[in-house]
Amino acid sequence: MSLGLSISSALNLTLSGSIGTFSVGTGKADQKTVDVKYFLTHVGLNFASSANEEVLKHLAPVREIFPTTELEFDEIMQRDIDDARVSSELVPYLLDHRSKDLVKLFPPIIVVVMPVKELDNRPADYYPKVETETRQMSDHDLEILRSGPIGQELFEFQQPRQGNVLFEHDLVKLRLNTNKSKLVIVDGQHRAMALLAIYRNLKQDWSDAMRAPYKDYYEEWTPSYIQQFSLKNISLPVMFCTFPALDETYGGGYNVKMAARSIFLTLNKTARQVSASRNRLLDDNDLIALFLRDTLSTIKRKDARSSASLRISNVELDQAHDRVKIDSPIAMTSVNHIYYFIEHILLNKRDEDVNGAKPRSGKFYKRTELQSAGALERLDGRNVLGADVADATSRNFYTPDAGGKLTAQFHERFGRHIVAAFERFLPFEAHAGAVLWLEQQLLSQSNTKLRPILFEGQGIGRTFAAHQENLAEKLGAGEFGSEATKIQEVADRLKATQKLVQDFIQKLRHQRAERVLASVADKRALRLEDGSYQPKVLEFINDLYDNVLTTVAFQSALVAGFFGEIERCNLSRTKDNAAPLDVTAEFDRYISELNAFFSPSKASDVRRLIEVFVGTPEGEIRDWKVGPSASTFRRVVYRGEMQPDQWPKYKYLLLEIWRAEGSELADSLRQERVKCRNQIFNSLLDEYRKDFLERKLMREENLTPQDRAEIADSAYESFRNFLKNVGWRYQDVPAKAALLKPPKAEDATEAPPADETWESVEPD
């Protein structure tokens, strides 16, 4: 007996439009290449169509769908939104009073229908099984492509067929289950945000906790102002993308998240430029990017149970304009920093790219072959992959299995030490600890405005400042007419918020400096009569962070320099049939020696840091009478602009501190230190000679032996005092004659390759 029961469809959103296909991936012999079945329709503010409102309810930027704090790095598929630009440029375009009642044109917003995991608001790798069927209708057939069984569907395409003609336009329907999928914008999120902002302001629909932090950017667009326009003409094309091949039966090395990232990168290669840091975060065709994401994921998993204060907020994920100088006040490194020194660890040609203290040479971004650059050997790739797979593997061509195995090798050999460097180098720990302190301060005050600006979406701080400036300019230009008073109130609130942001940043910097000085036993020498620290001391410490510790050059020296010296020593030991060094033990010793130098335990240590980086203190430090010195790092080691490629200069500084005395590494370090000293001293000597000739208005050939002796003595005195400042006793400083030994001065100021894309670390 039939019970007449039927299963109801779970599809709750039906759209009409056109259909088509294209492919994404590498295009290489079916590796990571899948067909995209797309559906093109429109969404707008004509609420006579219920579909418009349903789409606008469910459409949202990635930041509002998947909290970035909960995503792994292989789940990231977008960049931050510049809300200031959306509010100042795109919303006005849609509501342009000069073209009132005209249809506005934008390229399509690209949306991926993303499956989500059950009971977990995170992207799933695959769709439920995709099947096709043909349904006979009264006057035509209906070709159906459905993901998931009826009652549990995720999406369904309905495409009419009449005879042999399969309709691709107008009559096609896409039905979605918005409970099992998310509509993730992978391209056009700024355009979409402009439309969403208008919709949400009209409907007062900002209450969701994921949306609320961004409401301030759009408050100037009041409902009464928006309603002056014919909103029904505002309609934007939207393309919904699915990947039917990527269902639960798929057996290849691709997934929906990778396909979504591929669409984003493909589209943005020819659109508004994506930052290099975001490209590196999303790139699935670059082994270095895989290793980068593994390192970031390790940091991201750090939480309250971690022994150190390092958190992912200490890494700037999206740098504006690809500058290497960090913008975020809570970050101490960046995606570009880490990517840069991973390249230099793995793709450095021994004794070719890094030669003593000379600027590194070579075009690392062009290096795709792993064998010749040494990467395969450093990762033990032949043993891990087998000879045949290793030979077929390159930086930009690898199987998912090979990528996974090499990533595991990288993590064990290098990645865990990179993370440990950020955790255990005490100046970094002081910074990360101060950031946690700041976050706790904001949480204890239940401050819902400042925390997102400082901690969520790392471009938000920049965006907020830009938005405030834009609004002030428009108010000054009288753009708001009768609503100017109300908008002025909005601007005043933004200004007050911006001031609070700056106040908390100053508190963070003060807290960080205090943490650096926390172990100083005789703090009286650093304090004024009222017990506070001499402000110049705190300023010096913060300058040290801004201009040394957080630079690509210093961090590359800290990390790539360490592994380079370990490798150099191990090569020598291999020739002697000696066992390789214990890297963990040497790393512990290395960090310990650097901490003793950079983390002062007494006032004289602070004085020494000042002498190395600023000048010569006279009297008590608390009096802050610091005279010029010819023996600082920037006067002795490198006098030009510190570009990233000059990182061997900092490597040399660290070699003067890292001595590993009593260890099997000590002699190798000593040899490299001697080489660097010769290069640095001869470069300094040349600088002194040029200065002498200029001051005396002389030519080189007219220098007398006495002149040359005077020049050498002056250069040697500066160099000797520099070595004293970094901790050497005078009796341990090499004699001038020893430094002059190389017949050929190896110029330590040689310019880096011209076609590298790194921008200046110097402030504008």
Side-chain angles (χ1 to χ4, degrees):
M1 181 182 71
S2 172
L3 297 177
L5 299 179
S6 62
I7 301 174
S8 299
S9 170
L11 300 167
N12 58 351
L13 175 59
T14 300
L15 303 169
S16 298
S18 303
I19 200 170
T21 60
F22 63 93
S23 298
V24 293
T26 63
K28 298 174 182 174
D30 90 329
Q31 279 246 337
K32 302 178 185 175
T33 300
V34 297
D35 286 341
V36 182
K37 195 174 186 70
Y38 72 82
F39 180 84
L40 185 61
T41 186
H42 289 76
V43 63
L45 298 174
N46 181 0
F47 300 127
S49 165
S50 60
N52 275 341
E53 188 149 12
E54 283 302 307
V55 173
L56 289 171
K57 281 181 181 175
H58 291 98
L59 194 65
V62 174
R63 69 186 184 190
E64 298 177 15
I65 297 177
F66 303 119
T68 52
T69 53
E70 296 176 12
L71 289 179
E72 295 295 334
F73 278 93
D74 67 353
E75 295 173 333
I76 290 176
M77 56 200 79
Q78 258 295 1
R79 53 182 163 181
D80 288 340
I81 294 180
D82 185 345
D83 289 280
R85 175 176 163 248
V86 174
S87 189
S88 65
E89 297 178 15
L90 301 186
V91 172
Y93 175 71
L94 288 178
L95 299 178
D96 186 356
H97 59 81
R98 291 164 297 184
S99 56
K100 189 176 179 180
D101 296 338
L102 293 180
V103 174
K104 305 301 188 297
L105 178 65
F106 273 128
I109 296 163
I110 311 299
V111 175
V112 165
V113 179
M114 179 68 64
V116 291
K117 298 177 180 177
E118 286 189 14
L119 307 178
D120 188 2
N121 185 33
R122 294 173 62 171
D125 288 338
Y126 302 105
Y127 296 113
K129 186 177 181 180
V130 174
E131 297 180 296
T132 60
E133 68 173 66
T134 301
R135 188 180 302 166
Q136 290 187 339
M137 310 301 286
S138 59
D139 60 348
H140 65 278
D141 291 339
L142 202 59
E143 298 293 335
I144 295 175
L145 184 143
R146 181 190 306 116
S147 168
I150 293 176
Q152 301 176 48
E153 308 100 312
L154 194 146
F155 66 78
E156 180 181 278
F157 287 94
Q158 295 182 351
Q159 193 170 5
R161 175 192 291 278
Q162 200 161 46
N164 293 325
V165 179
L166 193 59
F167 289 85
E168 294 185 342
H169 307 290
D170 303 331
L171 300 176
V172 180
K173 293 188 184 303
L174 172 63
R175 304 178 68 202
L176 298 169
N177 180 347
T178 57
N179 296 314
K180 296 189 69 171
S181 65
K182 297 294 182 185
L183 306 183
V184 176
I185 303 168
V186 295
D187 188 67
Q189 62 172 352
H190 287 85
R191 303 188 290 275
M193 194 63 229
L195 187 66
L196 290 171
I198 295 172
Y199 169 76
R200 291 173 183 177
N201 281 8
L202 281 172
K203 300 289 182 176
Q204 299 294 302
D205 192 17
W206 289 97
S207 58
D208 186 285
M210 299 285 281
R211 301 175 181 175
Y214 311 103
K215 178 184 176 184
D216 288 353
Y217 295 100
Y218 304 102
E219 283 195 310
E220 66 194 271
W221 308 108
T222 60
S224 59
Y225 180 79
I226 293 171
Q227 286 163 355
Q228 299 174 44
F229 299 87
S230 180
L231 301 178
K232 66 181 181 182
N233 287 331
I234 297 178
S235 180
L236 305 184
V238 182
M239 179 185 288
F240 293 88
C241 297
T242 65
F243 316 96
L246 297 178
D247 70 357
E248 58 196 27
T249 67
Y250 179 73
Y254 217 34
N255 60 46
V256 176
K257 292 173 290 188
M258 296 168 75
R261 285 201 298 270
S262 183
I263 289 178
F264 172 81
L265 290 178
T266 300
L267 293 173
N268 282 285
K269 280 178 181 175
T270 55
R272 183 182 177 90
Q273 188 176 6
V274 180
S275 68
S277 53
R278 187 58 51 162
N279 263 320
R280 287 162 180 157
L281 266 182
L282 302 181
D283 198 343
D284 286 316
N285 299 307
D286 180 0
L287 272 175
I288 301 299
L290 282 192
F291 303 153
L292 164 73
R293 289 209 293 270
D294 178 76
T295 304
L296 295 176
S297 293
T298 303
I299 296 174
K300 195 170 185 299
R301 288 192 285 272
K302 302 292 179 182
D303 56 23
R305 290 167 293 178
S306 303
S307 59
S309 302
L310 178 68
R311 299 290 185 274
I312 195 61
S313 58
N314 301 135
V315 183
E316 190 166 64
L317 301 178
D318 213 351
Q319 289 182 276
H321 313 301
D322 295 333
R323 290 181 63 86
V324 292
K325 191 173 180 68
I326 293 171
D327 282 333
S328 168
I330 62 173
M332 59 185 176
T333 188
S334 77
V335 164
N336 286 337
H337 286 51
I338 297 173
Y339 185 91
Y340 184 91
F341 58 69
I342 289 176
E343 268 191 328
H344 285 71
I345 291 170
L346 294 177
L347 301 173
N348 166 45
K349 294 181 179 176
R350 298 182 184 114
D351 295 325
E352 290 184 27
D353 299 318
V354 179
N355 178 5
K358 297 179 72 173
R360 72 88 170 150
S361 61
K363 295 167 180 156
F364 284 64
Y365 68 95
K366 288 186 174 180
R367 292 180 181 171
T368 58
E369 206 274 312
L370 301 179
Q371 180 67 46
S372 61
L376 213 52
E377 182 182 346
R378 289 171 179 126
L379 296 171
D380 196 22
R382 289 197 167 279
N383 287 327
V384 171
L385 302 178
D388 291 342
V389 176
D391 287 341
T393 298
S394 71
R395 175 177 178 172
N396 302 126
F397 189 84
Y398 50 89
T399 65
D401 182 61
K405 287 178 177 175
L406 292 177
T407 299
Q409 285 291 104
F410 172 80
H411 179 87
E412 180 59 27
R413 291 173 175 236
F414 304 105
R416 63 191 180 96
H417 295 300
I418 292 172
V419 175
F422 285 112
E423 288 186 313
R424 294 174 52 192
F425 183 47
L426 288 177
F428 291 162
E429 168 60 20
H431 176 92
V435 170
L436 287 183
W437 170 86
L438 176 67
E439 186 173 27
Q440 192 57 44
Q441 294 292 306
L442 295 173
L443 288 172
S444 66
Q445 297 175 20
S446 300
N447 196 316
T448 58
K449 285 186 179 295
L450 298 193
R451 191 181 178 285
I453 291 172
L454 289 168
F455 285 87
E456 294 178 7
Q458 300 196 2
I460 290 179
R462 296 190 301 269
T463 300
F464 185 83
H467 176 58
Q468 191 203 336
E469 290 174 11
N470 289 335
L471 199 59
E473 287 180 9
K474 289 159 76 173
L475 276 167
E479 288 193 19
F480 295 106
S482 61
E483 294 203 326
T485 303
K486 186 173 182 179
I487 303 303
Q488 183 62 57
E489 292 174 3
V490 173
D492 290 343
R493 287 203 301 274
L494 292 176
K495 190 175 181 180
T497 301
Q498 181 68 12
K499 184 175 183 311
L500 273 177
V501 169
Q502 292 304 320
D503 289 346
F504 271 96
I505 291 173
Q506 289 308 312
K507 288 179 181 177
L508 167 68
R509 292 168 68 84
H510 191 279
Q511 175 70 204
R512 180 178 66 184
E514 286 208 340
R515 285 170 182 257
V516 170
L517 300 174
S519 299
V520 175
D522 47 343
K523 293 186 177 67
R524 283 189 61 230
L526 311 176
R527 286 177 163 161
L528 303 176
E529 290 184 359
D530 63 3
S532 64
Y533 282 114
Q534 158 63 260
K536 291 287 187 183
V537 173
L538 302 183
E539 186 179 321
F540 158 68
I541 291 171
N542 285 318
D543 284 347
L544 196 61
Y545 277 96
D546 294 343
N547 300 312
V548 177
L549 301 175
T550 61
T551 63
V552 177
F554 181 83
Q555 293 183 9
S556 297
L558 179 70
V559 178
F562 168 77
F563 286 113
E565 294 312 311
I566 293 293
E567 184 173 284
R568 187 192 319 283
C569 184
N570 275 338
L571 285 172
S572 174
R573 293 173 65 81
T574 299
K575 292 175 185 173
D576 297 335
N577 294 319
L581 295 168
D582 180 337
V583 177
T584 300
E586 296 301 340
F587 179 78
D588 291 345
R589 190 196 309 268
Y590 173 64
I591 291 295
S592 176
E593 291 193 56
L594 297 191
N595 282 338
F597 183 84
F598 284 99
S599 182
S601 61
K602 48 189 181 298
S604 59
D605 293 340
V606 178
R607 176 183 293 272
R608 183 194 59 213
L609 283 170
I610 295 170
E611 289 175 331
V612 171
F613 291 105
V614 182
T616 305
E618 298 172 2
E620 296 289 342
I621 298 175
R622 59 173 168 260
D623 297 331
W624 197 260
K625 295 179 180 176
V626 180
S629 166
S631 301
T632 63
F633 174 82
R634 294 309 299 268
R635 293 295 301 275
V636 170
V637 180
Y638 192 60
R639 295 157 294 283
E641 185 178 339
M642 187 57 79
Q643 291 281 358
D645 298 336
Q646 293 288 355
W647 69 263
K649 301 294 186 300
Y650 281 128
K651 182 198 83 169
Y652 161 66
L653 172 65
L654 299 184
L655 277 176
E656 292 290 5
I657 300 165
W658 178 31
R659 301 168 194 180
E661 290 173 354
S663 81
E664 295 171 313
L665 180 60
D667 190 55
S668 178
L669 293 181
R670 184 190 61 77
Q671 293 178 37
E672 183 66 8
R673 189 182 304 120
V674 168
K675 179 179 183 179
C676 291
R677 282 177 175 174
N678 285 332
Q679 292 174 353
I680 294 293
F681 179 71
N682 282 283
S683 173
L684 182 68
L685 184 62
D686 189 50
E687 185 74 16
Y688 271 64
R689 184 163 44 241
K690 290 176 184 173
D691 179 70
F692 184 92
L693 293 171
E694 189 174 326
R695 282 189 290 109
K696 302 289 186 179
L697 300 176
M698 292 176 63
R699 297 171 63 89
E700 172 85 25
E701 57 269 28
N702 295 330
L703 285 174
T704 66
Q706 291 78 11
D707 293 334
R708 295 184 185 278
E710 180 184 340
I711 293 168
D713 287 346
S714 298
Y716 181 71
E717 184 65 14
S718 296
F719 190 67
R720 188 174 69 154
N721 285 331
F722 169 75
L723 294 183
K724 179 192 73 91
N725 291 339
V726 294
W728 292 99
R729 299 176 302 178
Y730 274 135
Q731 57 264 39
D732 295 325
V733 173
K736 181 171 54 180
L739 294 169
L740 287 169
K741 270 184 179 176
K744 177 186 175 185
E746 295 186 79
D747 187 357
T749 64
E750 183 178 310
D755 61 348
E756 292 284 1
T757 56
W758 298 93
E759 292 186 31
S760 169
V761 299
E762 299 292 336
D764 292 327

